[in-house]
Amino acid sequence: MVAHFVRLKLTLLANTLRRSVWQTIGLAVALLYGLTVITFLVGAAVVGGRADPALTGQVLTVVGAAVVLGWWVVPLFAFGVDSTLDPLRFATYAIPRRRLLAGLAAAGAVSVPAVVTLLAGLGAAFAWASDPVALLAALLGAVAAFALCVVGSRATTTLLAPLLDSRRYREILMVVAIVPLLAVGPFFAWLGSSADRQVDGSGVTVTTTGPGEELLSGITTLAGIASWTPFGAPWALAGAVHDGAWPAALARLAVVVVTLAAAVVVWDRSLARTLVTPRGDGAATASRRGLGWFARVPATPTGAVAARCATYWVRDPRYAASLALVPLLPVVLVAVALSSGAGTELFLVVAPTAAFILGIGLSNDVGYDNTAFALHVAAGVPGRADRWGRVIPVAVVGVPLVVAFAVAAVLVSGRWDALPAVLGTSLGVLGVGVGVSSVASARLVYPVPKPGESAFKTPQGATVATMVAQAVAFAIVAVLTAPTVVLALLGLFGVGSGYGWAALAVGLVSAVVALVVGVRWGARVYERRQPELLAQVTAFS
Amino acid sequence: MTCSGITLYGGRVSTPTFPSTPDLPPPDPAAALSVRGLWKRFGDKIAVAGIDLDVPAGSFFGLVGPNGAGKTTSLSMATGLLRPDFGTAAVHGTDLWARPDEAKAMLGILPDGLRLFDRLTGAQLLTYAGLLHGLDRATVADRTEDLLRAMDLVADRDNLVVDYSAGMTKKIALAGAMIHAPRVLVLDEPFEAVDPVSAANIRDILRRYVDDGGTVVVSSHVMDLVQRMCSHVAIIAGGHVLDVGTVDAVRGEQSLEDRFVDLVGGRKGSEGLEWLRTSSGSS
């Protein structure tokens, strides 16, 4: 039975590869990436283990704990990351639950992330190469941690499946998930600045403990806590063995065994419940009175498309997630500025960055429509109406927002002289971004999460195609905004205040020209390629 | 700077429109929908291999065929959703690929297996469809109310379409296809997942529409339904039209279902499945 499941999983994988060459390339890239990560990790662990085993053990514990935690939590946000062997699909086959459990566990171990985790764990164990007993404990710990990853992730997803089935919770969860993701940046900035100051030696601030030791003691504390949690315990086994602290080693082993057993029991129970509970959208249906934006726009095709897009920006979590990113940007930058001491002038990039996100966000709008786009084709929506309709909501929200960000940044940093340069750059980036997107979304369609899927779910094999498409769009935006940016930089760094005003003028003109030309060109391409666009999005689904 | 034929995903796209080919007979201008020599290939598989059809104006036209016969592909090409590799389509004499705006204004389409803008409420979706077709606000508002009532969706007008059941989704999509009062309705599997009461209501609506001079094309694989409902029928299989005409002419003395099975073939009988008989039930 276990062999059956593994073979099923491999067959499914092989069949997805047969569907398109991009998916094969995607898998190859994923494997290559995984191998690079493994090589790097193992190398770092081995070198570190030779230099300072205690510290390396602590770092491994912290990183390992994060990996296990990731396995448990990430699938909840990116639900359906691996739904190829959804337990519900086996509900109609009379498979004894024990064997189903074993089979699903084995199949869960057959995936790129699982193989990478296992290999990296086993490889990192060789940090203890100088101490054979500790090495043995580390290898055992790596296998145990791997089991915890696979079983634990199944347990949490199966346990919370009823909750995840409700569209409401899923969507809220998804938007909320952005916050910790954004916190990653400031965290690394803090880490980096601590390391910087450590290397710097002299140190700007003189305290009782130097900033470098602060980092080290931080890791020691973190490792001390993590090693007693279910996530870090397997990774901390070897450290305890190395120190000869046998009671601690045994206790950590106990933590691992108990957790594993608990996870199996939880998984088993929830699986039993899942198999007899048909899936359905249990959430109360959301109700909205009236027509919303549709009652407020002019009664034209352009107005209709604008109303639909505005509604989607708020109501579709895939859009809402990127919209939520924009107001969070300044917060993140404040954190970076405070923790790294980069100074408040960093705020000056907030407005151009927000403009870039808003402008480029439109570049795959037809991809986001998915096959619902058929309505536009069936109705023969004119290219102008389709393009302007998609641009208008972004422009209406984007222009005041970007101007507000620019003024606020100037206010905080006290660089009033920078206002024309910042405004010019931001509005230029917004206009050029929207203009380029209008052509790009009629020209290049790439797979994105389907409506109703998690915004974090990357369609298999899409990565390479997506990266190429985005890189092309980014490059064009960069080239077209280069004159504005150069003038703005000249103005900012005090070559002459005239440059700032020149940046404003060039930025505004390039924005308007790019917008008008982009929309017109996009409209022409769109009218010629309507059925082809539909055929492409149909091929994704 | 035109970069024709470049796509990031899927097959190659041929951008130019098709030259009208001299060896095809011209489409029948009197027909509501007239297609000539439609061809479509997906990879190695030929989905539609040269289909000619004339749907008479004012007819209730059934398109039947086994799974994978090319029904959906043919209808997509006849309505402008899919560009044929070869062949032409005309709506009331207007070439669909040469003058798409005029032709599409006369067409109401219910595609099968495609999504809707389902983050809109039912009322919003109908309004959206109406405005996209260029109707004025008052007309859209009136027709939205009428259609919601006809489809029995008034209670769910302010709910998101994503929360609708399969049958309700079908009904709101059908309403969206009708809002601009098209002269020809092309409906792919309109009765799938629709409950019997709603299906009867929809049949009444369609029949009235035909009585008032409209033309309906439905695809289905429920033969009984087509025999009772349609005036004309075309049987297609393997990408070819096997027979076409009035329902009575096509079926002759037989039922449509028997005639269909005769034409398409592939009946197997149940030999070879003896083990399926339960031991207690078989004598």
Side-chain angles (χ1 to χ4, degrees):
Chain A
M1 181 58 71
V2 170
H4 261 95
F5 275 88
V6 173
R7 202 177 312 135
L8 176 61
K9 183 74 187 266
L10 289 174
T11 313
L12 286 169
L13 186 65
N15 285 351
T16 45
L17 294 186
R18 270 175 44 188
R19 280 189 63 190
S20 113
V21 71
W22 282 109
Q23 304 214 315
T24 316
I25 296 173
L27 183 74
V29 169
L31 277 174
L32 203 69
Y33 180 72
L35 282 178
T36 319
V37 169
I38 292 173
T39 318
F40 178 74
L41 270 179
V42 172
V46 171
V47 171
R50 207 167 291 159
D52 185 349
L55 178 64
T56 309
Q58 287 168 349
V59 172
L60 280 180
T61 306
V62 173
V63 173
V67 169
V68 178
L69 188 65
W71 269 86
W72 286 38
V73 177
V74 168
L76 297 181
F77 294 116
F79 74 99
V81 147
D82 181 20
S83 59
T84 39
L85 291 187
D86 187 338
L88 214 57
R89 298 190 185 183
F90 300 99
T92 53
Y93 301 98
I95 304 170
R97 210 168 67 237
R98 279 289 135 79
R99 290 162 82 183
L100 183 61
L101 208 66
L104 287 175
V110 184
S111 73
V112 174
V115 171
V116 168
T117 307
L118 182 61
L119 289 182
L122 290 177
F126 285 92
W128 305 98
S130 55
D131 181 349
V133 186
L135 173 62
L136 210 63
L139 287 175
L140 176 71
V143 173
F146 175 69
L148 269 180
C149 287
V150 173
V151 175
S153 77
R154 294 275 155 177
T156 51
T157 45
T158 318
L159 179 69
L160 296 179
L163 198 62
L164 295 176
D165 266 350
S166 125
R167 187 171 60 77
R168 265 295 189 59
Y169 282 111
R170 224 161 44 202
E171 291 177 0
I172 293 170
L173 211 59
M174 204 152 70
V175 177
V176 167
I178 291 178
V179 179
L181 275 183
L182 281 179
V184 170
F187 174 72
F188 277 110
W190 169 78
L191 214 62
S193 68
S194 306
D196 267 356
R197 270 173 269 176
Q198 184 194 355
V199 174
D200 230 7
S202 58
V204 189
T205 49
V206 183
T207 46
T208 41
T209 55
E213 281 144 53
E214 194 182 288
L215 177 71
L216 286 182
S217 74
I219 286 182
T220 309
T221 320
L222 217 56
I225 299 166
S227 58
W228 291 105
T229 62
F231 314 113
W235 306 104
L237 270 184
V241 170
H242 179 74
D243 295 344
W246 291 101
L250 278 180
R252 282 170 192 170
L253 191 62
V255 169
V256 173
V257 171
V258 169
T259 311
L260 201 55
V264 169
V265 170
V266 167
W267 184 18
D268 186 45
R269 291 270 165 80
S270 348
L271 189 64
R273 192 200 51 207
T274 305
L275 290 179
V276 294
T277 320
R279 180 166 295 173
D281 255 342
T285 53
S287 192
R288 272 98 179 159
R289 297 249 143 259
L291 292 175
W293 286 110
F294 288 93
R296 276 168 254 165
V297 295
T300 59
T302 312
V305 176
R308 202 270 301 167
C309 291
T311 311
Y312 262 59
W313 275 97
V314 178
R315 217 179 270 169
D316 187 329
R318 296 171 305 156
Y319 285 102
S322 64
L323 208 60
L325 213 68
V326 173
L328 281 174
L329 256 181
V331 179
V332 174
L333 281 170
V334 169
V336 172
L338 290 182
S339 59
S340 68
T344 47
E345 288 189 346
L346 200 61
F347 289 128
L348 297 179
V349 301
V350 171
T353 313
F356 183 75
I357 293 178
L358 284 171
I360 213 76
L362 269 181
S363 65
N364 192 28
D365 225 34
V366 174
Y368 276 104
D369 286 356
N370 205 281
T371 52
F373 180 65
L375 180 61
H376 287 217
V377 184
V381 178
R384 249 174 322 100
D386 181 281
R387 299 289 102 182
W388 278 119
R390 293 173 195 272
V391 166
I392 287 168
V394 175
V396 166
V397 176
V399 172
L401 188 81
V402 161
V403 170
F405 273 8
V407 170
V410 167
L411 212 69
V412 172
S413 64
R415 294 268 325 245
W416 280 100
D417 60 306
L419 187 59
V422 173
L423 267 183
T425 313
S426 314
L427 293 174
V429 168
L430 183 65
V432 171
V434 169
V436 170
S437 292
S438 294
V439 183
S441 71
R443 185 74 252 175
L444 308 162
V445 183
Y446 48 88
V448 286
K450 297 182 192 89
E453 279 183 351
S454 166
F456 298 111
K457 181 176 176 184
T458 315
Q460 260 206 334
T463 24
V464 181
T466 313
M467 281 188 320
V468 172
Q470 282 177 344
V472 170
F474 284 12
I476 296 173
V477 173
V479 168
L480 292 182
T481 48
T484 315
V485 172
V486 169
L487 285 172
L489 287 177
L490 287 177
L492 276 179
F493 292 110
V495 180
S497 65
Y499 285 107
W501 290 103
L504 180 59
V506 173
L508 284 179
V509 170
S510 66
V512 171
V513 170
L515 186 61
V516 171
V517 171
V519 167
R520 288 223 177 134
W521 186 5
R524 262 209 317 279
V525 176
Y526 169 91
E527 287 194 350
R528 212 173 50 228
R529 300 186 74 245
Q530 269 191 21
E532 281 74 26
L533 284 174
L534 180 61
Q536 282 180 11
V537 289
T538 310
F540 303 151
S541 49
Chain B
M1 267 231 40
T2 52
C3 25
S4 60
I6 296 174
T7 54
L8 265 179
Y9 211 84
R12 178 160 302 157
V13 171
S14 51
T15 320
T17 47
F18 283 90
S20 50
T21 40
D23 52 327
L24 282 179
D28 180 0
L33 191 64
S34 179
V35 303
R36 292 287 177 273
L38 282 187
W39 249 87
K40 188 71 194 178
R41 205 181 70 180
F42 295 113
D44 297 335
K45 189 175 178 291
I46 294 171
V48 174
I51 279 189
D52 300 319
L53 268 184
D54 286 313
V55 176
S59 64
F60 203 132
F61 197 96
L63 193 62
V64 298
N67 299 327
K71 299 191 292 286
T72 297
T73 310
S74 304
L75 290 183
S76 298
M77 288 191 291
T79 52
L81 293 184
L82 181 68
R83 201 186 295 278
D85 291 339
F86 192 73
T88 61
V91 185
H92 283 291
T94 307
D95 189 320
L96 181 67
W97 293 102
R99 289 187 290 165
D101 294 347
E102 287 167 58
K104 282 176 178 176
M106 290 187 278
L107 275 177
I109 309 172
L110 174 74
D112 186 37
L114 299 185
R115 289 167 191 272
L116 298 172
F117 285 104
D118 56 13
R119 300 285 156 154
L120 304 179
T121 66
Q124 281 178 330
L125 184 62
L126 293 187
T127 309
Y128 188 42
L131 292 178
L132 284 187
H133 279 286
L135 305 180
D136 64 75
R137 195 187 296 282
T139 313
V140 171
D142 286 349
R143 290 186 184 172
T144 299
E145 292 313 312
D146 291 346
L147 284 167
L148 286 173
R149 215 171 307 122
M151 297 294 171
D152 199 18
L153 289 170
V154 176
D156 297 292
R157 56 174 302 142
D158 288 329
N159 291 337
L160 299 190
V161 173
V162 68
D163 293 326
Y164 279 17
S165 71
M168 288 158 71
T169 309
K170 205 73 161 179
K171 288 195 286 181
I172 199 81
L174 183 58
M178 294 173 159
I179 195 157
H180 56 297
R183 292 174 68 186
V184 184
L185 272 177
V186 180
L187 315 174
D188 200 355
E189 300 284 358
F191 299 107
E192 218 175 37
V194 176
D195 67 87
V197 176
S198 297
N201 288 341
I202 293 172
R203 278 204 303 277
D204 286 347
I205 294 168
L206 294 179
R207 221 170 266 137
R208 227 174 306 138
Y209 173 81
V210 170
D211 290 343
D212 293 343
T215 309
V216 175
V217 181
V218 293
S219 83
S220 179
H221 36 234
V222 184
M223 296 302 145
D224 195 38
L225 192 88
V226 172
Q227 183 176 338
R228 277 186 293 129
M229 199 170 60
C230 295
S231 61
H232 292 68
V233 67
I235 299 178
I236 70 172
H240 293 279
V241 177
L242 300 184
D243 200 358
V244 59
T246 62
V247 170
D248 290 333
V250 167
R251 73 185 174 100
E253 297 295 300
Q254 298 170 290
S255 74
L256 187 61
E257 179 151 0
D258 290 339
R259 172 70 180 145
F260 176 83
V261 171
D262 281 354
L263 269 177
V264 174
R267 281 283 284 143
K268 295 250 182 346
S270 59
E271 304 93 41
L273 294 182
E274 286 79 9
W275 48 266
L276 194 53
R277 296 177 200 152
T278 54
S279 50
S280 60
S282 63
S283 50

